[in-house]
Amino acid sequence: MNREEKVNSMIIGQRIKYARKSMNLTQEELGRLMCTDGKYISRLESGKSLPSLKRLVQLSRALKCTCDYFLWDMDVPETGSEDVDIEFDVDNAVDVMLSVYDSISSGM
């Protein structure tokens, strides 16, 4: 995994963690909702793994958010923050989506 992919996986992981905590779910509970385990969720949240497209859709459904939330370059608010200020950079968002696609494609 190169530096750019690592940063992108870290951003996606932060968003997964924030969405999970906002729904008051543990990693194990989210894992069960996705027919996997808490260790997989931990790897995603720590940026050690990227979700496949199928898992990304499962995450979005389980966490009641869109796939865009994980992929677009938005600021991730700190846990407990009341206001969410969403700003994004389209060029970076495309890079993130391509990075996820490339990582999935290379695994096939």
Side-chain angles (χ1 to χ4, degrees), residues 72-84:
W72 287 89
D73 184 26
M74 296 182 221
D75 291 332
V76 178
E78 295 295 319
T79 303
S81 173
E82 297 279 332
D83 298 323
V84 178

Side-chain angles (χ1 to χ4, degrees), residues 87-98:
E87 296 179 20
F88 63 90
D89 174 352
V90 173
D91 293 331
N92 192 36
V94 170
D95 290 342
V96 170
M97 288 187 284
L98 289 173

Side-chain angles (χ1 to χ4, degrees), residues 14-15 17-18 20 27 35 42 49 51 54 59 68 72 81 92 94 98 104:
Q14 288 175 343
R15 292 182 182 148
K17 184 175 183 177
Y18 177 78
R20 176 181 60 78
Q27 290 177 338
C35 298
S42 176
S49 294
K54 178 181 176 181
L59 279 166
D68 289 350
W72 287 89
S81 173
N92 192 36
V94 170
L98 289 173
I104 293 166

Side-chain angles (χ1 to χ4, degrees), residues 40-67:
Y40 174 72
I41 303 303
S42 176
R43 286 192 309 275
L44 292 175
E45 289 182 0
S46 66
K48 293 179 181 172
S49 294
L50 281 170
S52 67
L53 291 176
K54 178 181 176 181
R55 290 289 190 193
L56 193 64
V57 170
Q58 288 176 328
L59 279 166
S60 69
R61 288 179 179 163
L63 297 172
K64 299 184 183 352
C65 58
T66 66
C67 292

Side-chain angles (χ1 to χ4, degrees), residues 11-28:
I11 291 169
I12 292 169
Q14 288 175 343
R15 292 182 182 148
I16 293 168
K17 184 175 183 177
Y18 177 78
R20 176 181 60 78
K21 285 188 171 199
S22 71
M23 292 193 61
N24 296 315
L25 294 172
T26 65
Q27 290 177 338
E28 284 295 325

